[in-house]
């Protein structure tokens, strides 16, 4: 591997990181997780209470890349065709013309994704896992890179539809932003004194560079023992009696890819078990479903994953 | 991202306060409960869990194997509690043994891999176990030391309650919370002290309550017999279904005698038992070694020390000291709450056993004495009915005549002298009248006779005969020259005194079978060869240990195979370096968690920077297959402290 090439890729990633940090204050970990999802060629689910900067973070990332960016506000009356696109009758020559929906983009922001019905949410299933759309029996590929950032607000219950498990499984990572600390929040106040710093954002990476980064991530070395550790972790969740649904093989793959991306971000060309362990809550927790008894017994998916990590020996 | 997981580390050591409370309870049990050497060992094992990070993973089979071994060793060393005929649930031996077993269980719990900072599940179990051990210690004996132990234990209990209830949360400093906590402490102190006080002060009452709960209906004194029977208008007015005896074996004669009387006076038989002279008899006089089938008798009720047996039994076999009077009535020398003995069944129905002593001439005159108030027509009647012939045929004719001409009735309203009225006019009454009449009539024709009370044992239940209080009965015994004492029952309806009583309901039978189970187990243990029981227990434990060993070998092999399949370090030099690194850290007192990465284990350690340099180099060599092994081996001597004087090398 050419180290100079590595350095240039790392430098580009760092530029992205700096760009995002200038808008989202005090959340380096969330920014990094979002970049990991992008680099791992996955999708990210931003989940937090209103006003913590979910949409701003997504828009900032879109603006930092010279690709197309579309945004869909998921409302209860949205229909699948509003997302994927549909054929229109052309009176001039009597033919049908396909008009592309908002998914034909590089970065798609699905805002408040849980406010639309499962029917419309399902339109994203094929889009997210295969980066393609099938309408009127015709398959249309989406541009590369294709990155979905969905946001949802977990504390609202009225007028929301919880995401189906199949949909949740298609997100590589779930990121929670959380409130900024005292200093960062003051910085937020001052930085928006005149205008939003978001308006100053300039693109720092091209689509080709992002694709190159994604290809580079795939070359990061994963020792067989580390892969074994990943599989043991996911297999453990499938046999725990507190869980109704364990982690799917797609989840193992996501953990594998994101661990590679994380290692690259940290300047390594190999994955160590620490990468897996720090990412596991973000990658796996939203994929598992608790048994009713465990759920109402006050247990959370994160706690159960923590149990798994405390019981499976770590390779060293 | 680069930080270790945000969750607080698991607290896998028993919180010190709970450990302190547990050790106090161990000490109390040790000092008060008979200096069992296993307790200090268990305490040491509990403390050992602080030194090593190794734990029993989750509930696995070897947790149970360890329990089997520990419990087995305790049972073998302390031994089975000595068996005797009275069963006292809160006996010191039983409670101490229970305390030892609980202590072993607590140690096993301590060694389990679990998070003690999670409140209810883990710490609660430990607290309940310590409380039970303490209760076992304080209930064992009244001991002056218990107060000191109780005070220390209560203090530690309060400290541990904080851990148990609040978990690992940081302490808060609001005044209200402090006040609340103080209140909590006071209440806990009061409850703990009060509890220990109550147990030490009222242990006898607790025992009595437990016994009443366990034995429910059996512990009543309704045995249906009086020690000075009186001919009243009704017999056994409230027939009770309480079981008095269980006879294991078939009695040839259902008449099980309890008491005999020879003096009739105005409707009352005497003398009362307490007015009689009793003499102690030894086992040879009781015919304990006589040949013949045996029937085991277990008494379930307070029977005022009486020993029940058919008149013609060949012998009585019991380890207890027995007294006998001249009527052949047997009773134990000392008061017993429950009796358990064997009757040797007679080879013939008129066999003369230990209860059939021939009467002396003076006693014989007494047995022939006619009550002065008796109507003279009774004697005439007796002579007329008996006719001539030998004593046996005269008695038989009298009994047959009574049975034929008189009817059975549970109530009787006498006019004048009751017995004469029954024989001559009012010819329907209950068994006591028939028995009394038989005695009077036999005496009138010159046959020595006495009045006997006891039970008519007729209720078969499998191989057992159950005797209930409502089976109480009365009959006569006559002395036939040349034969000896024989039982003469003149009551009609085949002598079944309870013909008018209903059968015991079915639920009662079921209930009796359930409450008999502990007794049967106890009898089996008492009856079985003690050495055999021990050999069986030791054998079972041995087999358990062998199975455990085999399984651990098997699991170990599987585990090793699994490790080879997964986490093998292909480079032997790196594997050696990893081992040296871990050894060096352990020597420094840094715990290496098998389920965490090195970075997480050393994060808070002193000199973490040096270790992190090693880990980074090692990871590069191990997971990145970089040729950084040189750095790994350069750093090792410094980590191992061999070149501690050298400051960090410039080459890094």
């Amino acid at each position: 591997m050419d180290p100079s090439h590595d350095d240039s890729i790392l430098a580009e990633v760092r530029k992205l990181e700096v760009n995002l940090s200038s808008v989202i204050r005090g959340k380096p970990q969330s920014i990094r997780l979002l970049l990991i999802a992008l680099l791992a060629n996955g999708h990210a689910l931003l989940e937090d209470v209103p006003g913590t900067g979910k949409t701003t973070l997504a828009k900032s990332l879109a603006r930092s890349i010279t690709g197309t960016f579309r945004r869909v506000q998921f409302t209860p009356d949205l229909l699948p065709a509003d997302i994927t696109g549909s054929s229109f009758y052309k009176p001039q020559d009597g033919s049908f013309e396909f008009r592309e929906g908002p998914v034909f983009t590089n970065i798609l922001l699905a805002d408040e994704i849980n406010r639309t019905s499962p029917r419309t949410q399902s339109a994203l299933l094929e889009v997210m896992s295969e980066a393609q759309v099938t309408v009127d029996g015709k398959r249309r590929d989406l541009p590369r890179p294709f990155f979905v950032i969905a946001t949802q607000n977990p504390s609202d219950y009225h007028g929301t539809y919880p995401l189906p498990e199949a949909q949740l499984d298609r997100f590589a990572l779930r990121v929670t932003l959380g409130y900024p600390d005292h200093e960062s929040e003051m910085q937020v106040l001052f930085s928006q004194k005149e205008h939003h710093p978001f308006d100053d954002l300039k693109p720092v990476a091209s689509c080709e560079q992002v694709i190159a980064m994604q290809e580079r991530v795939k070359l990061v070395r994963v020792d067989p023992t580390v892969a074994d550790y990943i599989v043991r972790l996911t297999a453990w969740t499938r046999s725990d009696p507190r869980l109704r649904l364990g982690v799917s093989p797609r989840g193992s793959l996501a953990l594998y890819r994101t661990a590679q991306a994380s290692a690259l971000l940290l300047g390594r060309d190999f994955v160590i078990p620490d990468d897996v362990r720090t990412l596991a809550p973000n990658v796996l927790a939203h994929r598992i479903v608790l048994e009713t008894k465990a759920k109402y017994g006050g247990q959370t998916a994160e706690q159960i994953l923590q149990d798994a990590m405390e019981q499976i020996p770590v390779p060293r | 991202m680069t930080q270790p997981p945000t969750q607080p580390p698991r607290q896998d050591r028993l919180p010190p306060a709970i450990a302190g409370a547990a050790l106090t309870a161990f000490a109390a049990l040790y000092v008060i409960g008979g200096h069992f050497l296993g307790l200090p060992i268990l305490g040491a094992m509990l403390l050992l869990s602080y030194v090593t990070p190794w734990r029993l993973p989750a509930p696995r089979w070897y947790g149970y194997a360890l329990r089997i071994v520990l419990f087995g060793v305790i049972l073998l060393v302390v031994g089975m509690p000595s068996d005797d005929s009275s069963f006292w649930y809160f006996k010191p031996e039983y409670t101490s043994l229970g305390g030892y077993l609980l202590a072993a269980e607590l140690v096993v719990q301590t060694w389990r891999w679990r998070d003690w900072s999670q409140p209810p599940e883990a710490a609660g179990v430990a607290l309940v176990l310590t409380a039970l051990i303490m209760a076992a210690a304080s209930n064992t004996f009244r001991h002056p030391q218990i107060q000191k132990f109780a005070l220390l234990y209560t203090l530690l209990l309060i400290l541990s309650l904080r851990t148990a209830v609040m978990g690992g949360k940081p302490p808060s400093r609001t005044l209200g919370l402090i006040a609340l906590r103080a209140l909590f402490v006071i209440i806990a102190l009061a409850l703990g002290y009060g509890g220990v006080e109550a147990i030490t002060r009222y242990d006898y009452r607790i025992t009595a309550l437990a016994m009443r709960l366990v034995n429910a209906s059996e512990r009543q004194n309704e045995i249906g017999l009086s020690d000075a029977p009186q001919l009243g208008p009704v017999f056994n007015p409230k027939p009770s279904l309480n079981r008095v005896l269980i006879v294991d074996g078939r009695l040839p004669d259902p008449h099980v005698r309890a008491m005999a009387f020879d003096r009739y006076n105005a409707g009352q038989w005497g003398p009362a038992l307490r007015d009689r002279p009793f003499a102690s008899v030894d086992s040879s006089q009781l015919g304990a070694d006589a040949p013949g089938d045996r029937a085991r008798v277990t008494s379930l009720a307070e029977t005022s020390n009486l020993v029940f047996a058919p008149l013609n039994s060949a012998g009585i076999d019991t380890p207890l000291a027995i007294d006998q009077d001249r009527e052949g009535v047997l009773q134990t020398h000392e008061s017993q709450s429950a009796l358990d003995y064997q009757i040797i069944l007679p080879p013939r129905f008129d066999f003369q056993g230990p209860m059939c002593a021939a009467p002396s001439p003076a006693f014989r005159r007494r047995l022939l004495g006619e009550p002065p108030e008796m109507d003279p027509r009774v004697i005439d009647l007796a002579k007329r009915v008996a006719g001539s012939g030998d004593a046996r045929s005269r008695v038989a004719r009298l009994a047959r005549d009574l049975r034929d001409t008189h009817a059975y009735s549970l109530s009787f309203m006498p006019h004048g002298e009751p017995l004469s009225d029954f024989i001559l006019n009012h010819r329907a009454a209950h068994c006591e009248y028939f028995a009394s009449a038989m005695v009077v009539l036999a005496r009138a024709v010159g046959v020595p006779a006495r009045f006997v009370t006891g039970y008519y044992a007729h209720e078969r239940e499998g191989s057992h005969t159950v005797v209930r209080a409502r089976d109480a009965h009365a009959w006569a015994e006559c002395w036939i020259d040349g034969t000896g004492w024989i039982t003469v029952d003149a009551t009609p309806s085949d002598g079944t005194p309870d013909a008018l009583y209903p059968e015991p309901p079915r639920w009662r039978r079921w209930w009796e079978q359930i409450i008999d189970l502990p007794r049967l187990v106890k009898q089996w243990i008492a009856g079985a060869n003690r050495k055999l029981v021990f050999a069986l227990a030791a054998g079972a434990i041995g087999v358990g240990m062998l199975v455990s060993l085999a399984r651990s070998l098997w699991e170990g092999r599987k585990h090793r195979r699994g490790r080879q399949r997964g986490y093998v370090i292909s480079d032997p030099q790196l594997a050696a370096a990893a081992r040296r690194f871990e050894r060096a850290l352990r020597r420094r007192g840094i715990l290496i968690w098998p389920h965490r990465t090195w970075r997480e284990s050393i994060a808070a350690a002193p000199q973490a920077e040096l270790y992190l340099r090693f880990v980074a180099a090692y990871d590069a060599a191990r997971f990145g297959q970089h040729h950084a092994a040189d750095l790994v081996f350069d750093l090792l001597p410094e980590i191992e402290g061999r070149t501690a004087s050298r400051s960090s090398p410039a080459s890094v």
Side-chain angles (χ1 to χ4, degrees):
Chain A
M1 220 158 293
D2 181 10
S4 62
H5 180 64
D6 269 17
D7 283 350
S8 70
I9 283 192
L10 247 181
E12 282 152 20
V13 179
R14 293 262 180 275
K15 267 192 264 171
L16 272 176
E17 219 173 335
V18 169
N19 228 21
L20 293 177
S21 310
S22 68
V23 180
I24 304 294
R25 306 278 179 175
K27 292 284 157 202
Q29 294 198 28
S30 305
I31 291 168
R32 192 162 273 197
L33 282 170
L34 194 67
L35 289 177
I36 286 172
L38 176 69
L39 263 54
N41 199 7
H43 308 288
L45 176 65
L46 296 180
E47 190 178 276
D48 221 314
V49 291
T52 44
K54 298 186 294 288
T55 313
T56 312
L57 176 60
K59 278 163 65 185
S60 308
L61 179 67
R63 199 172 251 230
S64 306
I65 297 167
T66 58
T68 51
F69 167 67
R70 298 265 185 89
R71 173 198 173 134
V72 184
Q73 188 67 38
F74 276 56
T75 54
D77 60 345
L78 204 68
L79 292 173
D82 296 336
I83 295 174
T84 57
S86 52
S87 299
F88 283 83
Y89 181 65
K90 253 168 90 179
Q92 293 91 330
D93 51 4
S95 66
F96 280 91
E97 186 199 33
F98 181 73
R99 276 197 207 153
E100 294 181 340
V103 290
F104 288 87
T105 179
N106 291 119
I107 294 179
L108 175 69
L109 170 59
D111 211 13
E112 304 264 357
I113 190 172
N114 57 339
R115 291 209 171 271
T116 194
S117 65
R119 179 186 171 200
T120 313
Q121 288 173 4
S122 312
L124 284 175
L125 291 179
E126 185 192 5
V127 171
M128 286 173 69
S129 61
E130 285 149 71
Q132 65 183 37
V133 172
T134 309
V135 177
D136 296 339
K138 194 160 174 235
R139 207 193 76 183
R140 293 177 172 83
D141 284 327
L142 299 180
R144 289 191 66 204
F146 177 65
F147 184 49
V148 176
I149 308 173
T151 70
Q152 74 168 348
N153 172 5
S155 64
D156 274 9
Y157 291 106
H158 293 287
T160 63
Y161 303 88
L163 291 182
E165 285 82 4
Q167 174 81 308
L168 279 172
D169 202 25
R170 280 162 169 77
F171 288 102
L173 275 171
R174 184 175 63 178
V175 185
T176 53
L177 283 168
Y179 294 115
D181 57 37
H182 191 88
E183 300 297 322
S184 308
E185 200 162 346
M186 275 172 63
Q187 279 181 23
V188 169
L189 299 185
F190 284 117
S191 66
Q192 298 189 10
K193 197 161 60 181
E194 287 159 12
H195 67 289
H196 202 288
F198 174 76
D199 300 326
D200 299 337
L201 277 187
K202 298 276 181 297
V204 291
S206 65
C207 283
E208 290 70 34
Q209 281 172 321
V210 170
I211 292 171
M213 288 178 205
Q214 289 176 347
E215 292 304 317
R216 179 65 191 85
V217 160
K218 291 180 186 167
L219 298 177
V220 170
R221 182 174 190 280
V222 181
D223 194 78
T225 56
V226 177
D228 186 5
Y229 182 58
I230 290 173
V231 173
R232 285 188 198 195
L233 263 180
T234 51
W236 190 92
T237 63
R238 289 170 205 159
S239 60
D240 190 283
R242 288 171 294 178
L243 297 181
R244 187 150 58 81
L245 189 65
V247 175
S248 62
R250 198 207 308 266
S252 309
L253 189 64
L255 189 53
Y256 184 91
R257 278 267 180 273
T258 50
Q260 282 179 312
S262 164
L264 189 74
L265 271 176
L266 292 169
R268 266 187 274 112
D269 64 348
F270 54 91
V271 174
I272 58 173
D274 296 86
D275 297 329
V276 177
R277 284 171 68 80
T278 42
L279 279 171
N282 291 100
V283 177
L284 303 183
H286 63 284
R287 295 169 201 269
I288 59 184
V289 181
L290 270 62
E291 279 290 353
T292 318
K293 201 177 158 195
K295 193 159 91 188
Y296 292 104
Q299 288 187 304
T300 63
E302 283 81 2
Q303 277 173 6
I304 291 172
L305 276 178
Q306 196 67 29
D307 280 358
M309 289 201 282
E310 294 288 0
Q311 288 186 21
I312 299 165
V314 175
R316 52 175 64 126
Chain B
M1 286 294 303
T2 46
Q3 297 135 354
T6 48
Q7 295 226 357
R10 282 171 65 123
Q11 176 64 41
D12 73 334
R13 283 160 170 69
L14 189 68
I18 300 182
L23 288 175
T24 311
F26 283 18
L29 194 59
Y30 178 76
V31 171
I32 297 165
H35 300 275
F36 170 49
L37 202 65
L39 275 173
I41 296 172
L42 287 173
M45 282 172 76
L46 195 143
L47 286 176
L48 198 64
S49 72
Y50 278 84
V51 183
T52 160
W54 186 84
R55 288 289 178 275
L56 291 166
R60 291 290 292 275
W61 65 270
Y62 31 89
Y64 297 103
L66 186 69
R67 281 188 182 88
I68 291 173
V69 172
L70 268 179
F71 293 180
V73 166
I74 288 173
L75 278 175
L76 276 185
V77 172
V78 181
M80 312 283 267
S82 63
D83 182 77
D84 55 33
S85 54
S86 65
F87 196 75
W88 190 246
Y89 285 89
F90 279 69
K91 254 185 183 171
E93 297 97 57
Y94 290 97
T95 39
S96 296
L97 185 64
Y100 302 152
L101 295 182
L102 289 167
E105 175 63 26
L106 181 65
V107 170
V108 173
Q109 292 289 336
T110 312
W111 277 85
R112 277 205 23 210
W113 179 264
R114 65 170 3 147
D115 192 352
W116 292 101
S117 66
Q118 290 299 314
E121 163 217 339
V125 170
L127 276 182
V128 168
L129 282 173
T130 53
L132 288 174
I133 297 166
M134 196 64 199
S138 50
N139 189 52
T140 304
F141 301 109
R142 294 161 181 283
H143 196 285
Q145 300 287 347
I146 188 65
Q147 305 293 351
K148 294 175 193 162
F149 283 116
L151 197 66
L152 182 60
Y153 170 79
T154 315
L155 276 173
L156 288 161
L157 182 74
I158 296 154
L159 285 175
S160 51
L161 277 177
R162 203 197 77 80
T163 327
V165 175
M166 305 199 182
K169 284 180 207 153
S172 166
R173 283 186 191 77
T174 3
L175 202 64
L177 261 178
I178 292 171
L180 196 70
R181 199 170 293 164
L183 191 70
F184 190 62
V185 164
I186 290 165
I187 291 172
L189 194 69
L191 281 178
Y193 191 76
V196 172
E197 266 299 306
I199 288 176
T200 48
R201 185 165 292 177
Y202 297 113
D203 61 338
Y204 287 119
R205 286 196 191 178
I206 296 169
T207 306
L209 184 69
M211 294 199 18
R212 264 173 65 186
L213 285 175
V214 169
N215 289 352
S217 59
E218 303 286 353
R219 290 277 159 192
Q220 295 167 17
N221 288 326
E222 295 175 19
I223 61 167
L225 296 179
S226 160
D227 80 330
Q230 181 149 26
L231 296 185
V234 284
F235 172 68
N236 214 353
K238 280 186 288 180
S240 159
L241 286 173
N242 284 338
R243 293 182 302 173
V244 180
L245 301 175
I246 288 183
V247 184
D248 187 5
R250 187 178 283 270
L251 295 174
D253 181 0
H255 294 87
V256 180
R257 89 203 278 275
M259 291 171 278
F261 304 88
D262 55 30
R263 195 186 68 212
Y264 178 83
N265 186 12
Q268 177 146 30
W269 284 96
L273 278 198
R274 56 184 173 275
D275 302 333
R276 297 185 195 182
F278 274 87
S280 107
V281 282
D282 60 27
S283 60
S284 66
Q285 286 169 301
L286 279 173
D289 305 322
D293 293 338
R294 288 169 174 238
R296 185 194 188 109
V297 180
T298 310
S299 84
L300 300 174
E302 299 283 353
T303 52
S304 47
N305 307 354
L306 286 166
V307 177
F308 303 86
L311 169 72
N312 300 106
S313 302
I316 310 280
D317 189 1
T318 170
L320 301 170
I322 300 291
D323 294 341
Q324 191 177 28
D325 76 341
R326 61 181 179 182
E327 310 274 14
V329 176
L330 299 169
Q331 61 181 17
T332 56
H333 189 70
E334 280 168 12
S335 171
Q336 298 288 329
S337 58
L339 277 174
D340 196 345
Y341 55 94
Q342 291 186 333
I343 296 172
I344 296 133
L345 301 178
R348 299 187 315 276
F349 77 95
D350 56 357
F351 183 83
Q352 298 299 298
M355 282 175 281
C356 303
S360 64
F363 183 40
R364 189 188 168 99
R365 273 196 298 282
R366 198 178 157 87
L367 288 168
L368 284 168
E370 206 61 46
E373 70 268 28
M374 197 60 64
D375 194 318
R377 285 178 295 165
V378 171
I379 297 166
D380 295 342
L381 176 78
K383 289 190 169 147
R384 199 176 64 242
V385 169
S388 58
D390 60 351
R392 178 172 280 199
S393 59
R394 272 179 292 165
V395 167
R397 272 198 289 276
L398 285 173
R400 192 166 57 236
D401 182 69
L402 259 183
R403 232 178 274 147
D404 292 346
T405 57
H406 290 65
Y408 190 82
S409 162
L410 278 175
S411 57
F412 180 75
M413 274 302 174
H415 300 281
E417 204 283 311
L419 200 48
S420 311
D421 186 39
F422 166 67
I423 296 173
L424 299 172
N425 312 317
H426 213 110
R427 300 183 172 200
H430 49 79
C431 59
E432 284 184 332
Y433 281 88
F434 282 95
S436 307
M438 190 63 224
V439 171
V440 167
L441 293 174
R443 286 181 180 181
V445 295
V447 178
R450 62 193 178 197
F451 177 85
V452 179
T453 60
Y455 296 102
Y456 190 77
H458 62 99
E459 186 183 324
R460 307 282 311 170
E461 233 182 55
S463 64
H464 293 70
T465 307
V466 179
V467 176
R468 299 177 189 276
R470 61 100 194 259
D471 294 337
H473 188 37
W475 60 89
E477 282 173 4
C478 297
W479 173 263
I480 309 292
D481 290 322
T483 303
W485 285 106
I486 57 167
T487 298
V488 180
D489 191 348
T491 313
S493 71
D494 278 344
T496 314
D498 58 349
L500 300 178
Y501 299 153
E503 277 289 292
R506 186 170 292 173
W507 64 263
R508 196 179 173 99
R509 295 251 166 95
W510 287 344
W511 171 242
E512 285 168 359
Q513 282 177 5
I514 292 167
I515 60 176
D516 275 354
L517 284 177
R519 186 177 55 82
L520 293 177
V521 170
K522 226 166 85 68
Q523 279 182 357
W524 181 82
I525 291 174
N529 189 339
R530 192 156 287 273
K531 278 182 183 157
L532 184 75
V533 172
F534 265 81
L536 278 178
I541 291 163
V543 168
M545 284 169 87
L546 275 181
V547 170
S548 309
L549 189 70
R551 287 233 25 198
S552 66
L553 287 176
W554 170 250
E555 290 266 330
R557 216 177 105 222
K558 246 172 46 184
H559 186 66
R560 251 176 279 126
R561 245 197 243 148
R563 201 191 283 165
Q564 272 163 16
R565 198 178 60 233
Y567 295 159
V568 71
I569 304 176
S570 51
D571 185 347
Q573 278 191 319
L574 268 183
R579 277 199 299 276
R580 280 173 64 186
F581 178 65
E582 292 200 343
R583 215 179 300 135
L585 290 196
R586 271 198 207 103
R587 260 206 307 277
R588 302 267 161 87
I590 299 166
L591 297 172
I592 302 294
W593 308 88
H595 310 110
R596 292 184 187 173
T597 61
W598 278 343
R599 284 171 212 272
E600 293 167 35
S601 299
I602 63 182
Q607 279 196 292
E609 190 262 342
L610 169 67
Y611 303 144
L612 278 174
R613 273 212 318 270
F614 171 85
V615 173
Y618 175 87
D619 278 351
R622 165 80 175 81
F623 297 109
Q625 297 205 320
H626 289 192
H627 298 289
D630 295 345
L631 184 58
V632 172
F633 291 106
D634 284 350
L635 284 171
L636 263 180
E638 190 180 345
I639 290 167
E640 286 173 338
R642 289 207 205 121
T643 54
S645 55
R646 200 178 74 181
S647 57
S648 64
S651 60
V652 179

